[in-house]
Amino acid sequence: MQRELMERIRALMDKGVADQVLAWKRGEFFYDTEPAILTKDELGEMVYDSFCGPNLSKYLIKEMPKIENKILALIKPCDSYSLNQLITEHRIDRDKVYVIGVGCKGKIDVDKIRAKGVSGITGVDENGDKITVHTLYGDTTLDRKDVLLGKCLFCKGKEHRIADETVGESEDTSEGSDRFEMVKKLEQMTPDERFSFWRKELSKCIRCNACRNVCPACSCVKCVFDNPNTGVQNKAAANEFEENLFHIIRAYHVAGRCTDCGECSRVCPQGIPLHLLNRKFISDINELYGTYQAGECAGQRHPLIDYTQEDSEPSIVHERGNNG
Amino acid sequence: MQKIGVFVCWCGSNIAATVDVKAVANAMRSEPGVVYSTDYQYMCSENGQNLIKDAIRDYKLDGVVVCSCSPRMHEATFRKTALSAGLNPYMVEIANIREQCSWIHKDMEEGTQKAMVLARAAIAKVKKNAPLTAGTTPVTKRALVIGGGIAGIQTALDVADAGYEVDIVEKSPTIGGRMAQLDKTFPTLDCSACILTPKMVEANQHENIHLITYAELENVSGFVGNFTARIKKKARYVDETKCTGCGICTEKCPSRKGLNAFNMGLNTRGAVYIPFAQAIPNVAVIDTENCLHFKTGKCGICQKNCSAGAINFEQKEEILERKYGAIIVATGFRPIDASAFDEYAYTQSKDVVTSLELERLMNAAGPTGGVLLRPSDGEHPKEIVFIQCVGSRCSKDAAKGKEYCSKICCMYTAKHAMLIREKYPDTNVHVFYIDVRTPGKNFDEFYRRAAEQYGVDYIKGMVGKVSVEGKKLHVQGSDLISNEQVHIDADLVVLATAIEPDPTARSIGTMLTASMDTNDFFTEAHPKLRPVESPTAGIFLSGVCQGPKDIPETVAQAGAAASKVIGLLSKKELVGNPCVAHANELLCNGCSQCEKVCPYGAITYEDKEVRGPEFRGTKRIAVVNEAICQGCGACTVTCPSTAMDLKGFSNNQIMEEVDAICR
């Protein structure tokens, strides 16, 4: 598929559709992929394999002022939601992007392979539902679905919500999972249990800001946590507890706009299930204002900045808030 | 360093009894930036204000903190005080140590501590205040009345008489409202229609009044003096300009299934109908649910018979967009649904009726032609039981009913009882009551006449159960005075059902951002001193939408609301609020979220060349039209990057206040 994709990109560039492509290139290890803007000459560096988990949509924002013609962007089905959301928020100019919807059958989490006791990994071969992991100590065969990224287990489906063309086949890897299962468990906890759950999780935070930096919704020109004039910058680092609030404030900032792309939890080096904060918001929005999926199409107006007669009354929101 | 003056008010004993005002003043003296701090018995008095003025001059104050009552009371007073001493009025902050402190605390120690905290928060805020200057906006000299009942009609007439144009939007096909359904009115027993219809006609003929019937308010934007309303005029399928109101179509219509809402559904009407004889406008309307043409595509008898050619099945709804300076809410009420009170067998027997149904049964234009007959078999009822407070004055934790008193039921029940005894002296009338409430001119005399002269049997106590036994209704109640059970086999039972705000009120309240109480009655700006104004500027309240009231009270309130509206519309321009939003273009993402939440449409976007540390180049940024912005702050809390900020209530000021409180 990588070759097919590369040929198509080259053909598009030859036609003069664009001079650059936003794609993935290899990082330090074979399982490391990183976003990259590549020209035709650099196209050889491009990779597309089962380790291309990163959501590329956000990286278009910075390119916007520089682009005169168009840029090609490789967008997986789940990433297409983020792209739509950013187009809605006028952060990305749709006319400047040629979207190639790339097929995705779920991306692999190398940490999950390691968690199976496999070390010294040198390469991976895929064969349908199975993967063969080559290591310094020989080969191991694993079920592909057991080593998928956490976000792929709640796959939003194989459809690209925005694309000028698509290359490759996609697969829905959700297998009918309920993404709100853990949210419901948290809701059933007593407030004290829930508090200690989050204290335990959030106290792992080292404030590396990876979650914020990767989040397509966290794309402010200047983040409030980087802005000394807001007065929250220092507060969020004042003590251990206020540092926890960083994540809660962040969840509020992306509420209604979060597409549940799962990047925050994917990049967290401490393994904090940050996506659960966002999912709680999504589940509340669904319950109070009707089912809503951010980024389903460009130009949406999310329920928190919209009003319809059917909206729950504030008193109901308040009541449920008390019970939840 | 700034020079702040702190002025602690005793408010007589209102504050001083629970807050050690001297201790507060002393403590504030040592706060950084405070150069003067004092206390006084009544800061709002002339002497108190002079104290502030003198201190501003003597100490060259550049910020004033008044620790007193709610800013809703005297913020304007103290701003004017500052202005007259040469200080920008927006350099004044109020610490509310009365409503939010002394009135809710009993312990002096606690109260004093809290007052100090509140004062510190205000000092912290005032340090970040900046002088502001208010702009002015013009006033649209036109009023919108929502609801064409007696309240709306009266307000419209009074405003129109003062020379201003008024539009009445009425959701039903005719104006008149509930009053049109009443037979007689208490305590004078004059015919309701006879006193209402002249007003309806006057409203219709008034050169300044425009009736928009069979229409609903879709959306309201703007602010005091400059509202824009979108009104949806529903399709009548009858051309208002052609229909002569002859009524031939209503007679020829073969469909007879539609319930006659004017007669509380006690009889049916044609699918094309004129609500009642005196309806205004006297124009028919087609009810598409029952019209054979709309259901089957056939029929069209009305069209064939209309000599004016007014029937138009192709008519479409129409959207009107109009500008108004003031909006008057007169949405009125409806009786609650009595079927929730099944202990009174309302759903089991046709002979259990609500009082409003009884009005129709007794009215000459009603289903029985004004002869009181049982709905079930058309016989004259000989034993009638009235049950008061059905759904009114229920306890807070009751599964159904309202906590409030509906106010009008005691009097209309006395009226019904009296009228029945007058017309049918052979009929026994019993009234079960909790209390009989008759505060009003000639009200108690009226009630006593019913009980004493007309022999109405008033029984203090409630009815436990009404059961259907053959043709009779077995009423089981208690008489609390003689302390015994009462059993009456009645022919007719009348429920004095509670009244509740019209169901459209809630959405209208949301549209207007006018606050409502838990019962969906509109809240007045001040329960005693501003009873006809909503806390939202430019929105006025008329009639039962604000709380239960009878016709004279409604008319009085309607007139009061009109006088407030006239006061507003007669102004050349309104002084605006300088506490408006503005966007920091370096921080703005251009994401449009603020634009979406702005209820006034004050935010637009433009591409602008920006040179900042994070971004250089052309960027989409939000621009606030300060003349339109009302300073509600919705945009500031929506903005994820704090680019949007509110003058006078900046994010930093609020953060400083919070910090001062948490210190």
Side-chain angles (χ1 to χ4, degrees):
Chain A
M1 175 160 173
Q2 178 172 323
R3 183 179 304 164
E4 185 192 348
L5 192 58
M6 217 183 287
E7 276 165 15
R8 182 61 194 147
I9 294 168
R10 205 178 291 279
L12 285 167
M13 286 180 169
D14 285 342
K15 266 205 284 182
V17 172
D19 325 313
Q20 292 171 310
V21 61
L22 171 62
W24 297 268
K25 70 174 183 183
R26 191 72 73 206
E28 202 164 332
F29 301 98
F30 81 92
Y31 48 77
D32 274 344
T33 57
E34 52 192 50
I37 309 281
L38 304 172
T39 61
K40 201 154 101 182
D41 297 339
E42 297 161 332
L43 208 52
E45 293 175 41
M46 192 202 99
V47 287
Y48 187 66
D49 59 19
S50 288
F51 292 97
C52 290
N55 177 349
L56 296 184
S57 56
K58 180 180 187 173
Y59 301 91
L60 288 167
I61 298 174
K62 274 217 161 131
E63 298 308 308
M64 282 301 116
K66 303 181 212 161
I67 299 165
E68 277 166 19
N69 182 16
K70 270 194 189 218
I71 185 166
L72 300 177
L74 305 187
I75 296 294
K76 302 193 294 287
C78 56
D79 306 342
S80 65
Y81 290 81
S82 309
L83 179 58
N84 272 332
Q85 184 62 29
L86 288 168
I87 292 170
T88 303
E89 293 173 19
H90 305 275
R91 306 305 304 280
I92 294 173
D93 184 349
R94 175 71 182 93
D95 295 338
K96 287 186 176 179
V97 188
Y98 187 91
V99 183
I100 303 176
V102 290
C104 175
K105 297 180 176 176
K107 299 301 175 196
I108 293 170
D109 185 349
V110 74
D111 288 334
K112 281 199 180 166
I113 300 178
R114 290 204 187 99
K116 299 244 173 227
V118 183
S119 56
I121 306 168
T122 57
V124 168
D125 275 329
E126 294 180 50
N127 191 357
D129 292 344
K130 301 279 178 198
I131 64 164
T132 307
V133 184
H134 309 297
T135 75
L136 297 171
Y137 320 104
D139 290 355
T140 313
T141 303
L142 294 169
D143 275 346
R144 196 171 188 279
K145 69 176 192 322
D146 290 344
V147 293
L148 288 178
L149 283 171
K151 65 175 182 176
C152 297
L153 303 178
F154 302 101
C155 177
K156 287 203 228 4
K158 54 186 181 180
E159 193 189 337
H160 287 89
R161 289 295 172 163
I162 183 171
D164 292 307
E165 63 175 88
T166 55
V167 176
E169 292 284 302
S170 293
E171 219 170 79
D172 186 339
T173 53
S174 66
E175 295 188 341
S177 58
D178 175 13
R179 65 174 169 150
F180 296 121
E181 198 183 333
M182 189 58 200
V183 171
K184 283 175 202 150
K185 272 189 196 152
L186 283 167
E187 284 169 346
Q188 279 155 10
M189 288 181 182
T190 64
D192 285 342
E193 285 168 354
R194 196 159 51 232
F195 186 71
S196 58
F197 171 87
W198 281 112
R199 283 290 281 157
K200 186 165 159 257
E201 288 295 342
L202 296 177
S203 63
K204 295 183 207 161
C205 175
I206 53 172
R207 273 309 293 281
C208 67
N209 284 344
C211 52
R212 182 196 69 180
N213 294 353
V214 80
C215 175
C218 264
S219 51
C220 283
V221 175
K222 186 162 195 141
C223 174
V224 291
F225 292 106
D226 291 342
N227 183 351
N229 294 329
T230 59
V232 297
Q233 187 205 24
N234 297 327
K235 288 204 174 57
N239 63 40
E240 193 199 342
F241 184 78
E242 291 202 345
E243 196 160 281
N244 294 173
L245 284 174
F246 165 78
H247 294 286
I248 293 162
I249 293 173
R250 216 183 69 78
Y252 268 98
H253 276 207
V254 302
R257 309 190 293 130
C258 169
T259 64
D260 198 8
C261 75
E263 286 285 89
C264 44
S265 295
R266 181 182 71 79
V267 299
C268 180
Q270 298 294 87
I272 306 171
L274 292 166
H275 65 282
L276 291 177
L277 289 172
N278 305 324
R279 268 191 201 158
K280 167 64 177 160
F281 273 106
I282 294 169
S283 110
D284 282 354
I285 288 172
N286 287 350
E287 191 186 323
L288 293 167
Y289 305 110
T291 308
Y292 177 81
Q293 170 63 53
E296 218 158 39
C297 57
Q300 278 172 302
R301 184 165 172 175
H302 69 76
L304 300 185
I305 57 164
D306 198 7
Y307 165 73
T308 65
Q309 299 246 351
E310 291 73 42
D311 279 357
S312 294
E313 292 297 331
S315 59
I316 293 170
V317 178
H318 181 72
E319 250 168 57
R320 293 200 202 171
N322 278 350
N323 299 338
Chain B
M1 196 66 185
Q2 278 164 304
K3 296 189 190 121
I4 314 277
V6 179
F7 302 87
V8 186
C9 181
W10 301 16
C11 195
S13 61
N14 273 307
I15 295 172
T18 332
V19 170
D20 183 345
V21 284
K22 292 221 179 292
V24 175
N26 281 335
M28 291 312 113
R29 208 164 284 137
S30 53
E31 284 293 306
V34 174
V35 294
Y36 182 75
S37 178
T38 191
D39 58 280
Y40 189 70
Q41 214 161 7
Y42 292 105
M43 213 51 95
C44 60
S45 68
E46 208 173 315
N47 285 343
Q49 292 188 55
N50 285 336
L51 198 69
I52 298 175
K53 285 185 208 170
D54 292 343
I56 291 174
R57 290 193 196 100
D58 297 347
Y59 294 86
K60 301 197 166 36
L61 299 181
D62 49 18
V64 166
V65 169
V66 186
C67 305
S68 60
C69 52
S70 159
R72 282 179 67 167
M73 296 287 152
H74 277 304
E75 187 174 53
T77 312
F78 295 123
R79 279 183 173 165
K80 278 181 196 147
T81 310
L83 182 64
S84 69
L87 184 66
N88 184 286
Y90 291 89
M91 299 306 285
V92 175
E93 285 297 330
I94 309 287
N96 181 356
I97 61 166
R98 192 178 77 172
E99 285 84 343
Q100 294 180 352
C101 185
S102 70
W103 278 359
I104 51 168
H105 288 285
K106 289 196 175 73
D107 182 61
M108 187 89 160
E109 181 65 24
E110 248 177 28
T112 308
Q113 284 306 318
K114 182 163 169 189
M116 289 183 186
V117 168
L118 292 171
R120 275 192 203 107
I123 295 169
K125 188 181 174 210
V126 82
K127 284 183 185 172
K128 298 259 173 188
N129 276 20
L132 301 173
T133 314
T136 56
T137 49
V139 182
T140 308
K141 311 272 179 194
R142 193 185 185 96
L144 169 66
V145 174
I146 307 167
I150 180 61
I153 292 172
Q154 186 62 50
T155 305
L157 283 172
D158 291 349
V159 175
D161 279 344
Y164 299 104
E165 303 252 334
V166 186
D167 289 351
I168 301 180
V169 173
E170 166 57 47
K171 69 174 187 303
S172 58
T174 170
I175 59 167
R178 291 287 170 208
M179 189 176 167
Q181 290 179 286
L182 305 183
D183 182 38
K184 301 281 189 293
T185 57
F186 62 78
T188 46
L189 294 183
D190 39 0
C191 148
S192 186
C194 309
I195 55 175
L196 174 68
T197 48
K199 292 248 179 217
M200 291 166 62
V201 172
E202 198 186 339
N204 193 31
Q205 293 174 343
H206 204 295
E207 55 175 7
N208 285 339
I209 298 181
H210 309 271
L211 302 179
I212 310 171
T213 53
Y214 208 46
E216 278 167 14
L217 199 57
E218 275 230 316
N219 180 42
V220 174
S221 59
F223 54 96
V224 55
N226 294 277
F227 294 107
T228 303
R230 271 167 63 88
I231 300 159
K232 182 173 82 184
K233 210 169 174 323
K234 293 176 277 190
R236 271 177 188 265
Y237 303 104
V238 176
D239 189 333
E240 273 182 73
T241 58
K242 290 182 184 162
C243 176
T244 59
C246 68
I248 294 203
C249 56
T250 66
E251 284 162 25
K252 300 280 182 189
C253 178
S255 162
R256 287 286 146 190
K257 282 190 183 148
L259 290 178
N260 186 343
F262 181 71
N263 281 336
M264 298 307 288
L266 291 170
N267 62 352
T268 58
R269 50 148 173 79
V272 57
Y273 66 101
I274 295 175
F276 54 93
Q278 304 99 319
I280 285 179
N282 187 17
V283 173
V285 58
I286 293 178
D287 148 24
T288 53
E289 267 177 38
N290 291 299
C291 173
L292 295 174
H293 177 84
F294 281 98
K295 282 169 77 178
T296 63
K298 290 168 194 152
C299 195
I301 292 175
C302 52
Q303 201 170 32
K304 283 181 207 114
N305 283 286
C306 181
S307 54
I311 306 281
N312 175 9
F313 293 123
E314 307 304 318
Q315 202 178 58
K316 295 274 175 295
E317 64 181 36
E318 219 182 307
I319 302 284
L320 310 173
E321 196 165 293
R322 300 232 172 129
K323 292 201 173 292
Y324 300 100
I327 298 177
I328 302 96
V329 187
T331 45
F333 72 97
R334 68 169 181 187
I336 60 163
D337 181 5
S339 47
F341 293 85
D342 218 32
E343 59 268 39
Y344 303 133
Y346 180 72
T347 56
Q348 298 157 37
S349 169
K350 281 184 171 178
D351 298 332
V352 180
V353 298
T354 67
S355 295
L356 196 51
E357 288 164 3
L358 183 73
E359 291 286 346
R360 299 315 306 152
L361 287 174
M362 289 168 68
N363 187 273
T368 53
V371 186
L372 182 58
L373 301 172
R374 275 159 54 106
S376 63
D377 52 14
E379 280 177 26
H380 274 289
K382 299 285 180 205
E383 288 285 334
I384 301 181
V385 169
F386 285 87
I387 304 173
Q388 295 258 63
C389 293
V390 175
S392 296
R393 304 177 71 192
C394 296
S395 73
K396 197 177 180 181
D397 38 337
K400 55 195 176 184
K402 312 287 181 185
E403 257 189 280
Y404 54 83
C405 165
S406 295
K407 202 170 181 180
I408 54 174
C409 325
C410 287
M411 289 303 292
Y412 68 60
T413 298
K415 172 189 77 178
H416 290 153
M418 196 189 287
L419 288 171
I420 290 169
R421 292 281 300 153
E422 164 91 24
K423 262 183 153 173
Y424 313 101
D426 60 336
T427 300
N428 289 322
V429 176
H430 315 271
V431 179
F432 283 90
Y433 69 97
I434 304 177
D435 300 295
V436 177
R437 299 183 159 185
T438 55
K441 192 174 171 183
N442 295 326
F443 280 14
D444 204 57
E445 296 91 318
F446 183 79
Y447 151 63
R448 285 212 311 272
R449 210 160 80 221
E452 291 162 11
Q453 291 178 25
Y454 285 87
V456 177
D457 174 28
Y458 270 85
I459 306 166
K460 185 174 175 69
M462 279 307 282
V463 169
K465 194 173 166 54
V466 175
S467 39
V468 185
E469 283 174 13
K471 288 181 76 176
K472 291 281 185 187
L473 295 159
H474 184 75
V475 179
Q476 207 178 325
S478 53
D479 182 336
L480 295 180
I481 292 171
S482 61
N483 196 21
E484 57 191 25
Q485 287 290 306
V486 183
H487 296 268
I488 300 169
D489 283 322
D491 300 313
L492 188 71
V493 170
V494 185
L495 308 179
T497 42
I499 57 175
E500 64 182 3
D502 191 85
T504 56
R506 171 55 66 176
S507 65
I508 287 171
T510 314
M511 254 182 248
L512 301 173
T513 62
S515 58
M516 300 180 114
D517 64 19
T518 48
N519 294 311
D520 281 4
F521 287 114
F522 283 88
T523 316
E524 54 280 14
H526 189 283
K528 284 131 201 162
L529 303 176
R530 295 174 67 192
V532 297
E533 293 154 88
S534 157
T536 306
I539 310 292
F540 301 86
L541 309 175
S542 179
V544 182
C545 69
Q546 178 258 343
K549 44 182 77 68
D550 59 23
I551 296 166
E553 276 182 321
T554 295
V555 172
Q557 203 206 16
S563 80
K564 291 285 171 192
V565 171
I566 295 163
L568 168 65
L569 297 185
S570 63
K571 289 201 173 96
K572 268 208 187 83
E573 52 186 20
L574 297 172
V575 177
N577 167 17
C579 299
V580 291
H582 62 107
N584 179 332
E585 51 193 45
L586 295 180
L587 298 177
C588 179
N589 296 328
C591 71
S592 272
Q593 295 207 100
C594 56
E595 177 204 12
K596 300 284 194 304
V597 297
C598 178
Y600 307 103
I603 301 173
T604 50
Y605 282 82
E606 63 182 37
D607 288 325
K608 203 173 169 189
E609 181 82 13
V610 175
R611 302 185 75 76
E614 280 76 28
F615 187 92
R616 275 164 185 245
T618 306
K619 199 169 74 154
R620 181 186 149 87
I621 53 167
V623 181
V624 179
N625 181 338
E626 295 198 352
I628 299 177
C629 175
Q630 294 298 294
C632 73
C635 54
T636 62
V637 292
T638 308
C639 180
S641 67
T642 68
M644 197 54 95
D645 215 348
L646 193 59
K647 289 177 191 166
F649 294 91
S650 68
N651 292 320
N652 274 328
Q653 284 179 302
I654 290 162
M655 194 70 83
E656 289 290 333
E657 281 186 286
V658 174
D659 277 350
I661 290 168
C662 299
R663 212 185 296 150

